[in-house]
């Protein structure tokens, strides 16, 4: 089988989204329904999440490979230039997120603020989580979903990718979701323009590490 395909169909995309993000969307929705009282940032909570991401990614990549998808094209290629671009991209996305939430800031604590305030997570787990989670999200949201659906219209591909990203971050509260949307939009526009996945992954890694510092 010739593994050169980088496009996807809406049906295949839906199955991969359900596999890779369905559980996380469900858990995020349950957190909203519970009044944002569920969940925490701790080693005991984050390590199972990482195990789930590794398992889901392995299954998804195997399924795509068996269906003739160019799986190797989803692997980010680290370079010094990519790291520098990732740092700059993180800075731009941080500023965009700040601009997006500023009109809605009321001064009352947001669910994500409360989660961060009671976080009890070790530095090794933070770094491990950032490396795996950053790669996981951007590989499937940008590399697979956004790129794969572009043949069905850029607005559709971008919209679906951003919608999935926001849905599994709803546990962060309304302003957290707005911030995630702005962050995802910056990374998506960069990827659309450049086609380079690693800078977006590195920017996401920084976004997962810096707040805990």
């Amino acid at each position: 089988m010739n593994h050169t395909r980088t496009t996807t169909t809406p049906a295949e995309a839906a199955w991969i989204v359900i596999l890779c993000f369905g559980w996380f969307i469900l858990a995020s929705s349950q957190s909203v329904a519970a009044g944002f009282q569920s969940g925490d940032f701790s080693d005991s909570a984050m390590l199972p999440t990482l195990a789930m991401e590794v398992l889901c990614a392995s299954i998804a990549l195997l399924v795509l490979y068996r269906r003739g998808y160019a799986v190797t094209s989803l692997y980010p290629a680290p370079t010094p230039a990519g790291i520098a671009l990732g740092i700059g991209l993180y800075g731009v996305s941080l500023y965009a997120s700040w601009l997006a939430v500023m009109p809605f800031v009321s001064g009352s604590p947001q669910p994500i603020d409360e989660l961060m305030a009671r976080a009890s997570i070790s530095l090794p787990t933070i770094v491990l989580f950032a490396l795996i989670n950053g790669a996981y999200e951007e590989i499937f949201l940008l590399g697979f979903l956004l790129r794969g659906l572009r043949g069905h219209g850029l607005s559709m591909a971008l919209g679906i990718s951003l919608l999935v990203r926001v849905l599994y971050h709803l546990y962060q509260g309304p302003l957290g979701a707005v911030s995630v949307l702005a962050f995802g939009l910056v990374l998506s526009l960069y990827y659309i323009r450049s086609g380079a996945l690693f800078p977006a992954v590195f920017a996401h890694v920084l976004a997962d590490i810096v707040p805990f510092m």
Side-chain angles (χ1 to χ4, degrees):
M1 183 179 294
N2 189 13
H3 297 86
T4 58
R5 177 171 64 90
T6 58
T7 59
T8 187
T9 64
E12 183 181 63
W15 279 112
I16 296 298
V17 166
I18 291 171
L19 172 61
C20 293
F21 301 106
W23 171 255
F24 302 108
I25 291 173
L26 177 61
S28 189
S29 300
Q30 290 174 336
S31 176
V32 175
F36 301 102
Q37 297 303 310
S38 61
D40 67 287
F41 292 142
S42 64
D43 289 3
S44 61
M46 303 312 291
L47 291 177
T49 298
L50 293 182
M52 178 68 76
E53 289 186 345
V54 171
L55 176 62
C56 291
S58 299
I59 295 173
L61 293 174
L62 178 60
V63 168
L64 289 172
Y65 179 81
R66 294 291 297 271
R67 291 174 60 85
Y69 193 90
V71 169
T72 55
S73 70
L74 294 173
Y75 302 157
T79 63
I83 292 174
L85 286 169
I87 294 173
L89 192 58
Y90 170 67
V92 173
S93 65
L94 197 64
Y95 182 63
S97 296
W98 177 78
L99 287 178
V101 302
M102 276 303 294
F104 309 104
V105 171
S106 62
S108 59
Q110 290 291 304
I112 185 60
D113 299 325
E114 297 175 359
L115 281 171
M116 293 299 295
R118 64 173 186 266
S120 58
I121 184 171
S122 65
L123 182 59
T125 300
I126 291 172
V127 174
L128 182 63
F129 174 81
L131 291 172
I132 294 177
N133 185 68
Y136 181 82
E137 292 191 21
E138 303 313 328
I139 282 174
F140 288 105
L141 289 177
L142 299 184
F144 172 73
L145 201 57
L146 178 55
R147 179 181 63 171
L149 288 175
R150 283 193 66 173
H152 300 276
L154 180 56
S155 58
M156 174 183 170
L158 179 60
I160 291 177
S161 176
L162 290 174
L163 176 62
V164 174
R165 186 188 296 269
V166 170
L167 284 177
Y168 66 83
H169 284 99
L170 291 177
Y171 70 90
Q172 295 187 9
L175 292 189
V178 171
S179 177
V180 166
L181 177 62
F183 175 81
L185 181 59
V186 170
L187 266 57
S188 298
L189 292 177
Y190 172 81
Y191 182 70
I192 289 169
R193 182 175 179 82
S194 70
L197 187 58
F198 178 73
V201 169
F202 194 77
H204 195 137
V205 169
L206 292 178
D208 284 343
I209 292 178
V210 173
F212 290 99
M213 299 291 107

